[in-house]
Every structure is written in C-alpha cells, then in structure tokens.
Amino acid sequence: MASEIVTEQQVKMKPKKKESQVVQVFRKLIKNKLAVFGLMIITLQLLMAIFAPFIVAYEPDEQILEATELPIASEGHWLGTDNYGRDMWTRLVYGARISLVVGIISVVIGLAGGITLGLLAGYYKRLDGIIMRFVDLLFAFPGILLAMLIIAMLGTSIVNVVIAISIWSIPGCARIVRGSVLSVKKQEYILAMKSLGAKDSRIIIKHILPNCAAPIIVFATMRMATTILSTSALSFLGLGAQPPSPEWGAMISAGQDYMWTSPHMTIVPGIAIMLVVFAFNVVGDGLRDALDPNMEYPE
Amino acid sequence: MLGLIVRRFFQLLILLIGISLIVFMSMHLAPGDPAAIIGGPTASESDMEAIREDLGLNKPVLVQYFDYMKGVVQGDLGYSYQTNQAVTAAIITRFPNTFNLAIASMIVAVVIGVIAGIISAIKQNSWFDLSSTTIALAGISIPNFWLGSMLILVFSVTLGWLPVGGLNAPFYTLEGMKQLILPAITLGTASAAMIARMSRSTMLEVVRSDYIRTARAKGVKEKSVIWLHALRNAMIPVITVIGVNFGSLLGGTIITEQVFAINGIGRLMIDGIASRDFPVVQGTVLLVAALFVIVNLIVDIVYAMVDPRISYE
C-alpha cells in the first residue's frame, strides 16, 4: 500500500518534460515586441529572396521604354519604374536575394575565420599574443576602410565585396570568441576533461565551442546588419555590385541622378535597406537579452 | 601615468609599422602593373622599363617598403599615377574639409546622443524613452548615404534652405556652416544613436548605485543628483564610445563626402581606388588608419585621467 502511495506521489511530482534551450530562448525572444517585428521582416525578406521569380511579373533587367520613371502606385507597377522603365518592385525583390546571399556568405566565412582564430588564441596561451596582435592590427582600420583596402587590392565586384567583408568580420568575431573561451576554459569540467586525458581538439570542439555559442549567435545576427549596410554602401560608391545589378545600394546610386524628377528611385531601396538592417539589429538585441540568464522576463 | 603614456606610445609605433606593412603589401599584391597605368596604352616595353626603374619597382619588395617608409617619415607619400601630383600635397589640400566634417558630426553626435541618452534614463519607460530608444535603433540602421540623399531632397531640393553639396566656404562663416549642417547630420546620426544607447545604459546603472541613493537620502535636489553626481561617473564609458566613434567618423567621411560632393580625403581615396592609383590609396588609407589609432591612444589616456580607478598595469 505504502509503495503504491509513493508511486502516486512520484507520478504527481513527475517534472514536466524539460524544454530544449532553443525553445526557451525562442520563448523569451518572442516576448520582445521589437524582436518579433524584426523576425517578421527577416522572414519576409527570406521569402522574397527564395520565391523571387514567382512573386514578380517582370525580369529585373526588363526595360519597358514607354513606361520610364513611373511614380509609386502606377498601374501594373505599384512601386513605380526607374529611368529605364524597369519595375522597381521586381528589382527590389531580386535585390533582397543579393543582399541576403552576400550577407549570409560573408558572415559564414567571417565566422569560420573568427571562430578558428578566437578558439586558438583563447585556448593556447602561446598563440594568444601573436593572433591577438594580428587582430588588433586589423582593428586599426576604422569602419569600412579595411573592406575598401581589400577591394582596392582585388578590384571592384560583388564577389570581392564578399571577400572583403568576410575578412573585415574576422577580427570582431575572433575577439568575442577568445573572450568566451578564456572564461569557459577555467571551468572545472574542462579541467576534469584535461585530467582525464581528453584531446585538445575534442575539448575545444565538443566542450568549449558549444559554450561560446550565445555570443557567436548574437554577433552573427548583428553582423548580418552591418554586412547588408556595408555591401550597399560599397555598391553605392561604385566599388561593389555594378549596373544593371538590382543590388539596393547600386539602385540608390543610380537613383541619385533622378532625385529631382523621380525621388522614389532613391527612397524605395533606401527604406528596404533600413528595414532589413533594423530587423537584424533588433533581433540581435533581442537574442542578446534572451540568451542572458540574468535577464528577467515578464510572464 | 607617464609610464602608461610611454608604454602606449611604443605600442602605437609598432601598430603604425604593422598598418604601413599591411597597406603597402596590399597595394603591392594588387593586380596591374603601375608602369602600365602610368605609361598608358601607348607606352612601349622600354618606356615601361624606364618607369619601373625610375619608381624603384625593380627592387625587392622589402627594399621598396623601406624606401617608401623613409619617404613617409619625411612627409613624402609618393606621386599620384594619374595626376603626377604629390600625394602629401593632395592630402594637405583636402584634409581640412574632412577634419571639419568629422568634428562637426562629432558635435552633432555628442550633443544629441548624450542629451537623449540621459533623458531616456531619467524618464525610463516613458514615451520619450521608448521613442528615443527606437529612433536610436533606427539611427544605427539607416544607411548614411541614403540619409544624406533624403536630407538633400527635403532641405535643399524641396525647401531650398541649405546648399545641395560642396564645402568650399570657411567653416566659421555662415555659408560654411550652412554647407556643413546636412553632411554633419548625415555622418553624425549613427554615432549619436550609439552614444545615446551607451549614455542611457550607463546612466541607468549609475542612478541605481548606492552613492546616488545616499545623495537622495541626504536631500540633495534631483537636478544636482543627476547633473553633478550621476553624470560624471556615467560619462566615463561614454568617453570611450565617443573616442572610438571619432575614429569611425573619419572613416565614415569617405561615404558622406561622396554624397555631398565634398573635396576631402574620402573622395580622394575613392577616386584612387576606382583609377587604381595606388600611391593615393596607400597614402589616404595610411593617414586615416594612423589618425584612428592615435585618437584611440588619446582616448585611452584621457580615460585613465578621468577615472583614477582604471589601471593599465
């Protein structure tokens, strides 16, 4: 009988199935209204990029010479047309694809380089000095200057922009990862792993790297914003995507000559860039809060 | 303090040598023969060989680097491939425009950023706080080349209040100030947003500290608590952000100068990149990076002076 009661209590006290960390972070994230707005914008951009050919009626370079510089809300062209009669909505949708692809590739390459350098510098003291001095050196180029120097070396093209921005992302990521590694490697379980004779590569990849994930995720999200902004800036300056590419920065650059007669050519791509960059910034902010265990959330 | 300054100065020297090496090597590795760029399409092989000989391009890379650095130390950054003008002279002519623009945008950034950040912190969770933090986030997200175009569209094209571009009148004249307003707002907005966010968070931290509670308990007026007691400590981390931002503003002038057709270092650099004029690119990049690290050094020293708790030992 007694054993039956105990069993009943045990059933009552049985803890709920523990939520995975990802679900917990997502729950916290969606309590942040701005982050939800950001997520919606990013999803929209993703859908535009993937389904571009299905949601537009024209080709991005298709010129309708009898319908040039049509204003916003024109028939058949709800965002108007540019000076060559190209549909602005079509170009905007295809531009979303370019900025997303360039952003993702640059961030992934930058992360790969930054994580590797950060892990090595943080874990091996003898490599720390040399790697971090190199990182400091790259940090000595303010803002977009490092990317410009690389483009000056490689030449102007969108591929070179990807390379330049990837390299530019490395020092920031390396510094963040190194900082996390330094705090994680002092934990007792890492010391225990070492004393058990685990290989360095196993400790780094299986035990240290997953514990550095939070700052890396936040960095990657924020970096997407910087990358999209920088790609468009470089294209605006004529150093990135070249005409007739529907890249948003290049569209603004082309629109500048028509600002007096067709301001929508400049306004539309600018708003697109601002919204997407804003979205990645607020999601990054939200993720930073959601991944912070000390942050309290209202129920 | 003297020890800190001396140590930092030596670190700066090493950093400057590293920067010069990276910049020099990048230009050296760039595809394209400088002799062909200078000689043009009609140059014969013997002409190009003469140009290479004249520029010392036949020497080993390291010798070329040391020759270049010898010139840099003496203020000689070489000659433009396109115009044959001395790069140093071109930089000296254009530097005041870039410097004035950077200073004006810094003023915009600090005034707007600090005031907005402090009011946000004092009136936490009010409509002002909510709108100012959202605007600050939007400010970081606005592409400054687009913001510049929009400001031109509104204030120059539509309202006709301010000039469309250019920066040729001295900054202390009315015309010069008018020419500076739009570029300074364009360049300063993102920094203002960052400074506002930083000021808000540090101010919030400070007003919750014990010494502020004590000051309030002693009956000190709220204005004095905020402006005399809290602000001084809250501004310490903000100084770093301001310093780092000043360096970034120097880099940011590159884009703003292009939008407003300002004859500054940035435009010189972009034209140099577009025409593969390596001495110009080399000289301008070197100058901006060197200024950036020097400003950072000054910030570090000021930081240590303002906050005696900071030790770099």
Side-chain angles (χ1 to χ4, degrees):
Chain A
M1 189 71 187
S3 65
E4 271 175 29
I5 293 167
V6 170
T7 315
E8 210 172 309
Q9 277 178 343
Q10 275 175 340
V11 169
K12 278 180 188 165
M13 288 171 68
K14 193 178 172 188
K16 279 186 210 166
K17 197 182 169 194
K18 202 169 180 267
E19 277 180 339
S20 79
Q21 218 174 350
V22 177
V23 176
Q24 281 177 18
V25 169
F26 187 72
R27 272 182 194 282
K28 285 181 185 173
L29 186 66
I30 55 171
K31 281 178 186 160
N32 182 333
K33 284 177 191 150
L34 266 180
V36 172
F37 174 71
L39 278 176
M40 281 161 60
I41 302 275
I42 294 170
T43 313
L44 200 67
Q45 192 199 7
L46 201 65
L47 291 175
M48 277 165 71
I50 296 170
F51 299 108
F54 304 104
I55 51 179
V56 292
Y58 305 91
E59 286 295 315
D61 301 335
E62 191 178 332
Q63 299 179 10
I64 308 163
L65 294 174
E66 57 276 15
T68 56
E69 294 185 53
L70 289 182
I72 286 178
S74 298
E75 201 186 333
H77 305 280
W78 74 278
L79 283 180
T81 57
D82 68 4
N83 53 314
Y84 290 108
R86 294 174 297 197
D87 183 55
M88 287 294 288
W89 166 241
T90 306
R91 291 179 68 74
L92 200 74
V93 170
Y94 277 91
R97 186 181 267 190
I98 296 175
S99 76
L100 205 65
V101 170
V102 170
I104 292 172
I105 296 176
S106 310
V107 170
V108 168
I109 298 174
L111 283 186
I115 291 172
T116 310
L117 287 181
L119 285 173
L120 292 174
Y123 194 77
Y124 296 107
K125 214 174 174 187
R126 61 180 187 277
L127 292 178
D128 190 24
I130 190 159
I131 291 177
M132 291 324 285
R133 290 305 75 78
F134 175 67
V135 166
D136 285 346
L137 202 55
L138 294 183
F139 262 118
F141 296 90
I144 210 165
L145 195 66
L146 183 62
M148 280 182 171
L149 180 68
I150 297 165
I151 288 171
M153 183 170 82
L154 300 175
T156 54
S157 79
I158 194 78
V159 176
N160 292 343
V161 166
V162 173
I163 297 170
I165 294 182
S166 306
I167 296 174
W168 179 31
S169 303
I170 291 174
C173 181
R175 210 176 252 192
I176 288 171
V177 174
R178 174 188 174 265
S180 303
V181 174
L182 284 179
S183 66
V184 173
K185 81 169 186 182
K186 283 183 193 150
Q187 305 279 330
E188 282 174 0
Y189 70 92
I190 299 292
L191 296 176
M193 290 292 297
K194 274 186 186 171
S195 54
L196 282 170
K199 275 186 185 171
D200 282 352
S201 55
R202 186 182 159 83
I203 296 176
I204 292 173
I205 294 167
K206 290 206 91 175
H207 300 278
I208 291 184
L209 187 57
N211 282 300
C212 301
I216 294 173
I217 291 168
V218 175
F219 175 84
T221 317
M222 298 290 217
R223 197 68 203 170
M224 274 297 286
T226 315
T227 301
I228 291 171
L229 207 54
S230 311
T231 307
S232 59
L234 290 169
S235 296
F236 173 81
L237 293 171
L239 306 179
Q242 303 293 323
S245 167
E247 201 282 331
W248 292 341
M251 282 172 76
I252 294 179
S253 176
Q256 268 211 319
D257 293 338
Y258 298 88
M259 217 152 65
W260 279 254
T261 50
S262 305
H264 69 280
M265 281 176 63
T266 313
I267 295 172
V268 169
I271 291 176
I273 298 172
M274 194 177 78
L275 275 177
V276 171
V277 174
F278 181 79
F280 278 105
N281 273 333
V282 290
V283 172
D285 259 7
L287 275 172
R288 184 170 41 209
D289 293 346
L291 289 163
D292 180 358
N294 299 322
M295 194 87 181
E296 285 174 16
Y297 285 85
E299 283 304 317
Chain B
M1 181 57 71
L2 191 68
L4 165 77
I5 295 172
V6 172
R7 205 168 53 247
R8 280 292 149 117
F9 183 73
F10 279 109
Q11 284 173 354
L12 176 80
L13 276 183
I14 295 168
L15 200 56
L16 286 174
I17 293 169
I19 292 169
S20 65
L21 249 175
I22 288 189
V23 175
F24 185 85
M25 288 304 166
S26 310
M27 292 301 101
H28 192 83
L29 292 172
D33 184 0
I37 299 171
I38 298 169
T42 53
S44 66
E45 189 48 48
S46 61
D47 291 340
M48 296 213 284
E49 193 51 44
I51 294 169
R52 281 188 207 110
E53 191 66 44
D54 190 37
L55 293 175
L57 298 172
N58 289 335
K59 293 179 188 169
V61 189
L62 266 180
V63 176
Q64 287 184 46
Y65 170 72
F66 283 116
D67 284 348
Y68 179 71
M69 285 313 289
K70 219 190 286 173
V72 170
V73 174
Q74 293 165 356
D76 175 14
L77 291 164
Y79 289 85
S80 159
Y81 291 166
Q82 297 294 329
T83 61
N84 208 23
Q85 192 194 5
V87 176
T88 315
I91 286 177
I92 290 172
T93 321
R94 292 158 185 250
F95 185 71
N97 279 345
T98 302
F99 187 72
N100 291 343
L101 175 58
I103 293 282
S105 11
M106 197 74 246
I107 294 170
V108 169
V110 172
V111 171
I112 298 176
V114 171
I115 293 177
I118 291 170
I119 298 177
S120 273
I122 298 169
K123 298 180 186 274
Q124 201 193 355
N125 298 328
S126 66
W127 69 267
F128 182 90
D129 182 28
L130 190 73
S131 44
S132 120
T133 42
T134 312
I135 291 171
L137 256 173
I140 295 171
S141 313
I142 294 181
N144 61 2
F145 54 91
W146 181 73
L147 177 66
S149 303
M150 291 301 100
L151 290 175
I152 291 174
L153 188 65
V154 176
F155 293 100
S156 309
V157 179
T158 312
L159 299 171
W161 291 352
L162 295 163
V164 175
L167 196 61
N168 33 41
F171 70 92
Y172 45 82
T173 60
L174 183 66
E175 190 52 34
M177 282 183 199
K178 272 183 162 182
Q179 287 177 341
L180 259 179
I181 292 175
L182 294 186
I185 294 174
T186 303
L187 185 55
T189 301
S191 298
M194 265 179 254
I195 293 171
R197 276 159 68 95
M198 189 72 185
S199 310
R200 180 183 180 272
S201 63
T202 49
M203 194 70 179
L204 278 176
E205 221 167 274
V206 170
V207 291
R208 284 178 195 146
S209 56
D210 288 344
Y211 81 98
I212 293 293
R213 197 176 303 132
T214 312
R216 282 184 176 141
K218 277 164 64 184
V220 178
K221 280 182 187 166
E222 189 59 22
K223 266 187 188 167
S224 305
V225 170
I226 298 297
W227 297 102
L228 288 179
H229 297 262
L231 189 62
R232 283 178 74 168
N233 274 330
M235 282 303 103
I236 293 170
V238 176
I239 291 174
T240 317
V241 178
I242 291 172
V244 171
N245 266 288
F246 184 71
S248 306
L249 284 180
L250 280 171
T253 53
I254 300 165
I255 296 167
T256 314
E257 283 173 11
Q258 200 73 4
V259 177
F260 290 93
I262 293 170
N263 232 356
I265 303 289
R267 271 194 108 190
L268 188 65
M269 189 192 295
I270 299 289
D271 292 346
I273 294 175
S275 58
R276 305 193 75 70
D277 196 342
F278 299 138
V280 170
V281 179
Q282 208 162 274
T284 46
V285 173
L286 199 60
L287 175 81
V288 176
L291 280 174
F292 180 61
V293 290
I294 292 169
V295 169
N296 277 348
L297 170 83
I298 297 169
V299 172
D300 260 5
I301 294 169
V302 172
Y303 197 37
M305 281 175 174
V306 183
D307 191 350
R309 291 168 297 183
I310 291 165
S311 156
Y312 289 98
E313 290 307 320

